[in-house]
């Protein structure tokens, strides 16, 4: 195909999306994968092709169209890679994760894989999970940057991914602040809800750290590759730097939240320990008070003669001793704040 007009995709391929930009202008949309190489043969053209839920056959076809490395295709098929940027001859493979909070504090990660060449960006993801519409909207809102080719497309993708971190961390931050504000209201008694929310928060933050922390190095590597990706102009440099700064802020925010949750949990355990010590102190004090009458009655219960044995005077003497010692212990413990 050599004409500048795209062919129309079949209804079964509607889920695939594509765009072609020439000299900063959007000139075509909705062309099939088979036309990728034809569009790339035209000077000044940059293409984007979105491939949700790809089959092995589709990825093989894509590899033939763009000359992709077999290992890059294998990584795209397997998924669940750590955030990274792999370099191959003629292209790069970017793997990252967008995140969002579901069902309270459960953090869900969505894989996005992108094959990057000098004039093409191919996105691979799970259909219905990754919000590719938001990425397209960012491109449309920054159409004045489209002249920078693949660097412009990649920036919009990275911006969406990093912004998803802030949206998720904002929810986790609100939950962490709520728990930290209530930590001193906890009296040390049963706190299943608090402990459960703390556990969910810690698990969510561990997930966030796993996908956010490596993105700093990934974006830094992409910034060094801007010239090869068509994004090395001075106009695009501040945009990449902005995304990089946001990634650093998101990673720092994640670490700060982890520290806050650890502090809240430590405070809870300290309160619980203090309350346990108070309970043990009171129980021990009462046990000591109760032990006095037990000791006195045990002594007077001996079947041997002693002063006051089997007399009313002995009864009142033993009772007085029990009362005097019990009251004395009670007063002493109260003065020491043991009761």
């Amino acid at each position: 195909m050599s004409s500048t007009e795209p062919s129309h995709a079949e209804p079964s391929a509607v889920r695939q999306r594509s765009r072609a930009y020439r000299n900063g202008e959007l000139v075509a949309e909705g062309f099939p994968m088979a036309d990728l190489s034809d569009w790339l043969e035209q000077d000044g053209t940059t293409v984007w092709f979105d491939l949700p839920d790809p089959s092995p056959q589709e990825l093989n076809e894509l590899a033939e169209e763009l000359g992709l490395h077999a290992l890059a295709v294998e990584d795209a098929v397997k998924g669940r890679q750590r955030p990274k940027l792999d370099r191959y001859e003629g292209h790069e493979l970017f793997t990252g994760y967008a995140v969002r909070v579901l069902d309270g504090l459960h953090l869900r990660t969505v894989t996005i894989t992108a094959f990057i060449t000098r004039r093409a960006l191919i996105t691979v993801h799970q259909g219905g999970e990754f919000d590719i519409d938001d990425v397209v909207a960012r491109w449309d809102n920054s159409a004045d940057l489209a002249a920078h080719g693949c660097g412009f497309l990649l920036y919009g993708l990275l911006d969406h991914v990093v912004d998803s971190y802030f949206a998720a961390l904002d929810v986790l931050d609100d939950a962490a602040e709520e728990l930290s504000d209530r930590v001193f209201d906890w009296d040390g008694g049963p706190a299943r809800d608090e402990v459960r929310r703390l556990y969910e928060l810690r698990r969510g933050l561990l997930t966030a750290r796993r996908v956010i922390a490596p993105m700093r190095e990934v974006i830094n590597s992409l910034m060094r590759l801007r010239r090869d990706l068509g994004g090395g102009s001075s106009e695009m440099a501040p945009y990449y730097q902005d995304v990089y700064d946001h990634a650093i802020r998101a990673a720092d925010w994640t670490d700060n939240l982890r520290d806050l949750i650890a502090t809240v949990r430590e405070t809870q355990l300290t309160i619980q320990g203090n309350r346990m010590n108070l309970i043990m102190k009171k129980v021990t004090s009462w046990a000591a008070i109760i032990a006095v009458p037990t000791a006195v009655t045990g002594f007077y219960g001996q079947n041997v003669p002693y002063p006051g044995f089997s007399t009313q005077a002995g009864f009142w003497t033993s009772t007085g001793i029990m009362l005097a010692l019990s009251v004395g212990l009670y007063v002493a413990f109260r003065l020491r704040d043991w009761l």
Side-chain angles (χ1 to χ4, degrees):
M1 177 178 177
S2 59
S3 64
T4 60
E5 295 300 324
S7 61
H8 295 287
E10 296 297 328
S12 59
V14 171
R15 62 189 180 91
Q16 301 176 358
R17 301 177 63 176
S18 55
R19 282 188 169 191
Y21 292 87
R22 183 182 299 117
N23 299 322
E25 298 291 334
L26 178 62
V27 294
E29 292 185 270
F31 50 85
M33 187 189 305
D35 292 351
L36 277 174
S37 57
D38 295 322
W39 281 108
L40 291 174
E41 289 176 356
Q42 302 179 28
D43 294 336
T45 302
T46 302
V47 299
W48 164 65
F49 195 86
D50 184 52
L51 195 61
D53 298 322
S55 65
Q57 293 77 13
E58 289 173 325
L59 286 175
N60 289 334
E61 180 183 349
L62 178 66
E64 293 177 1
E65 283 286 316
L66 299 179
L68 303 179
H69 196 281
L71 290 178
V73 175
E74 181 181 351
D75 284 347
V77 172
K78 290 184 177 180
R80 306 310 302 173
Q81 306 289 325
R82 71 185 304 271
K84 62 178 182 176
L85 179 69
D86 291 331
R87 305 178 188 180
Y88 300 93
E89 183 178 357
H91 69 92
E92 288 78 32
L93 176 69
F94 162 72
T95 302
Y97 294 87
V99 297
R100 65 176 184 270
V101 179
L102 297 176
D103 300 328
L105 300 176
H106 176 66
L107 199 67
R108 181 173 180 80
T109 59
V110 182
T111 308
I112 175 67
T113 302
F115 297 96
I116 309 165
T117 71
R118 185 174 181 83
R119 294 170 51 202
L121 177 68
I122 312 299
T123 52
V124 178
H125 57 88
Q126 184 177 352
E129 295 289 340
F130 187 79
D131 189 5
I132 196 66
D133 290 332
D134 182 72
V135 178
V136 174
R138 291 169 189 262
W139 291 336
D140 292 339
N141 292 335
S142 304
D144 55 313
L145 300 175
H148 302 289
C150 192
F152 153 72
L153 297 175
L154 183 59
Y155 160 71
L157 177 64
L158 294 175
D159 194 42
H160 167 78
V161 170
V162 173
D163 280 355
S164 74
Y165 300 157
F166 284 91
L169 290 175
D170 190 54
V171 176
L172 299 181
D173 185 83
D174 289 342
E177 288 293 337
E178 180 184 356
L179 286 172
S180 65
D181 290 341
R182 294 167 49 190
V183 66
F184 290 108
D185 296 333
W186 184 49
D187 61 359
R192 294 180 181 177
D193 291 341
E194 287 82 357
V195 173
R196 178 180 57 81
R197 286 176 65 82
L198 275 174
Y199 171 75
E200 290 178 350
L201 266 174
R202 293 185 67 177
R203 183 174 62 179
L205 289 171
L206 284 173
T207 301
R209 178 175 173 78
R210 188 172 64 250
V211 301
I212 293 175
M215 280 296 293
R216 293 174 295 186
E217 182 58 32
V218 171
I219 297 175
N220 189 39
S221 298
L222 286 170
M223 290 171 64
R224 295 196 297 266
L225 289 171
R226 283 201 312 270
R227 284 188 172 83
D228 294 336
L229 302 175
S233 65
S234 59
E235 290 84 355
M236 286 301 300
Y239 293 94
Y240 275 88
Q241 185 64 48
D242 182 65
V243 175
Y244 178 67
D245 292 342
H246 286 177
I248 293 178
R249 285 176 51 197
D252 291 342
W253 194 359
T254 303
D255 290 338
N256 292 338
L257 286 178
R258 291 181 67 211
D259 292 341
L260 176 59
I261 292 304
T263 301
V264 170
R265 185 54 182 159
E266 290 173 2
T267 304
Q268 279 191 340
L269 293 175
T270 300
I271 293 174
Q272 185 178 17
N274 290 340
R275 181 174 174 81
M276 181 62 68
N277 291 337
L278 179 62
I279 293 173
M280 292 301 297
K281 182 173 60 176
K282 291 183 177 181
V283 169
T284 304
S285 298
W286 282 112
I289 293 173
I290 295 172
V292 170
T294 303
V296 173
T297 54
F299 177 81
Y300 276 87
Q302 298 178 93
N303 293 322
V304 295
Y306 57 85
F309 179 73
S310 298
T311 64
Q312 188 174 5
F315 168 75
W316 289 115
T317 300
S318 63
T319 302
I321 292 173
M322 287 188 292
L323 290 176
L325 292 177
S326 297
V327 171
L329 287 174
Y330 180 81
V331 172
F333 292 155
R334 288 287 293 181
L335 290 176
R336 290 170 173 77
D337 195 28
W338 291 4
L339 284 175

